[in-house]
Amino acid sequence: MSQSEAVWVVDDDQSIRWVLERALSRAEIPVRTFENATDLLKAIKRERPAAIISDIRMPDMDGFELLASVQSDYPELPVIIMTAHSDMDSAVSAFESGAFEYLPKPFDINEATDLTRRALEHTKSQRKTSQTETEPQVMNQSGIIGKSLAMQGVFRAIGRLSKSSISVLITGESGTGKELVAAALHEHSPRSDKPFIAINTAAIPKELLESELFGHEKGAFTGAHALRKGRFEQANHGTLFLDEIGDMSADLQTRLLRVLADGKFYRVGGHVPVDVDVRVVAATHQNLEDRVREGLFREDLFHRLNVIRVQIPPLRERSSDIPLLLNHFLQRASEDLQVECKVLLPEVSDYLQTLPWRGNVRQLENISRWMTVMASGRDITMDDLPPELMDVEEVVSSGDWRTLLSHEIQRRLNAGETRVLDDLTPEFEKLALEVALQKTAGRKKDAADLLGWGRNTLTRKLKDIYPDSD
């Protein structure tokens, strides 16, 4: 069988094939396209490509079936899986099935090209070392919701870590769902059939946290009437999630470092070491590098925890996920409260996507429950929103011009105005013109260049805005 340097693309959508063929050709990457997986498998018996880019949903054979066939016969051949269903389960499924990478649709051409180059580099390396992939692992379902681009990095990280028990540090603002990600890391790991134990270290007084983590012997202190196993022992062979690790006291940081390094510890009041095999996933909303520099967090413990870092985006950076999350939370609230599921009117959904959501997903969930209880009818209108979501100061303090503009449009629409762009567009152009002229000290040609206008256009705009000007 001959080996080709070409990338093979298989997708029943002709437009996708055309876009990828054109993009890769422009990048000087040889490419060959197929309409279905069957034709590709026939061709691969005569010639082996350097990489494959495959859609998942195809009529005769889907992408996972193709991937399984390729993995069986050519395990070193990288396969990039494309899918329009850019959720975490699709990402993890792709990686678990042995895919080299996961490309959500609609994709960015530059990203697709970069992933392809990485696959080609992988092939070159594989041909030198003759390394093979490990067998795919069966995965469990997860409850993380999100299809935004901001969540794709999280899904990829969970997929790549699915065969590992390495330590992970999850960072992100409060309420972003760090424990959900930790649980997903456990569910998609070799330890999935063992315990997942979660503890919020900031919620327990520091004088009790040591016993909570490491347990205590009978009689270790007043009230210790019996031996008690701590969270480390309860999580043996499984995963221990330590939330808000940045608030841990210096003494406990030292004890934690020792158990991470040695795999053994002493219960409070104990003299016999206890051996454990625990994967630690830690999380914090704080900047641990800053706390290390301030002397508030041990640098050696930071490096021990920060083997792999997963950054969870705040809700304001994944606003396209808000309708999905709202539908999920409203459905769950209706089930919990045994009432009819409420439905957001489109204008309400659009408005909620413009808010800063400082409490992130947790705040959104609480608001969904509030609306389920307080909305008078089945449809949730703007009048049904809680007062704090209509607070202009809350929106203004977010500091994002898109949020401010969206709020202004929403205000005008709520007031019954029509043709709002007839008023807003001239105001926007006037503001841009004034700022540009201020920047150029009144030089019209330079201001026109900054705005992307011709000199005549700028002069005309000035005349429209300031009819009495020269």
Side-chain angles (χ1 to χ4, degrees), residues 326 343-355 357 367 370-371 374-392 395 406-416:
L326 282 168
V343 178
L344 289 167
L345 292 181
E347 60 267 25
V348 180
S349 179
D350 292 343
Y351 174 74
L352 293 179
Q353 291 178 68
T354 70
L355 300 181
W357 295 109
I367 292 296
W370 189 95
M371 292 187 298
M374 301 300 292
S376 56
R378 177 175 177 269
D379 293 337
I380 296 175
T381 68
M382 292 295 295
D383 292 336
D384 293 319
L385 295 180
E388 64 266 24
L389 293 189
M390 305 303 292
D391 184 357
V392 176
V395 178
S406 177
H407 187 272
E408 175 62 16
I409 294 172
Q410 188 70 53
R411 184 190 67 77
R412 289 171 179 252
L413 293 176
N414 290 342

Side-chain angles (χ1 to χ4, degrees), residues 80-205:
I80 298 173
I81 289 291
M82 295 185 293
T83 176
H85 299 273
S86 52
D87 55 15
M88 195 198 74
D89 288 339
S90 296
V92 175
S93 294
F95 285 114
E96 285 287 352
S97 299
F100 173 76
E101 253 298 353
Y102 159 77
L103 183 62
K105 295 180 182 179
F107 51 78
D108 179 81
I109 290 298
N110 293 328
E111 181 185 9
T113 304
D114 290 343
L115 290 182
T116 303
R117 287 198 178 102
R118 283 176 46 203
L120 294 176
E121 289 297 322
H122 175 81
T123 296
K124 291 178 182 179
S125 174
Q126 291 294 310
R127 287 174 179 174
K128 291 179 181 179
T129 62
S130 299
Q131 294 176 345
T132 58
E133 295 285 337
T134 56
E135 288 297 314
Q137 177 190 345
V138 177
M139 74 158 197
N140 295 321
Q141 296 297 314
S142 174
I144 299 180
I145 296 173
K147 294 186 179 181
S148 62
L149 291 177
M151 288 298 291
Q152 298 308 310
V154 177
F155 297 160
R156 285 193 177 101
I158 293 171
R160 290 193 182 108
L161 290 166
S162 62
K163 297 173 184 175
S164 168
S165 291
I166 199 168
S167 296
V168 179
L169 177 64
I170 303 173
T171 55
E173 297 177 6
S174 295
T176 50
K178 295 188 287 292
E179 184 170 346
L180 271 180
V181 172
L185 285 168
H186 173 73
E187 290 169 9
H188 301 296
S189 78
R191 298 172 180 255
S192 59
D193 60 338
K194 303 301 181 183
F196 173 78
I197 303 295
I199 179 172
N200 186 329
T201 60
I204 300 173

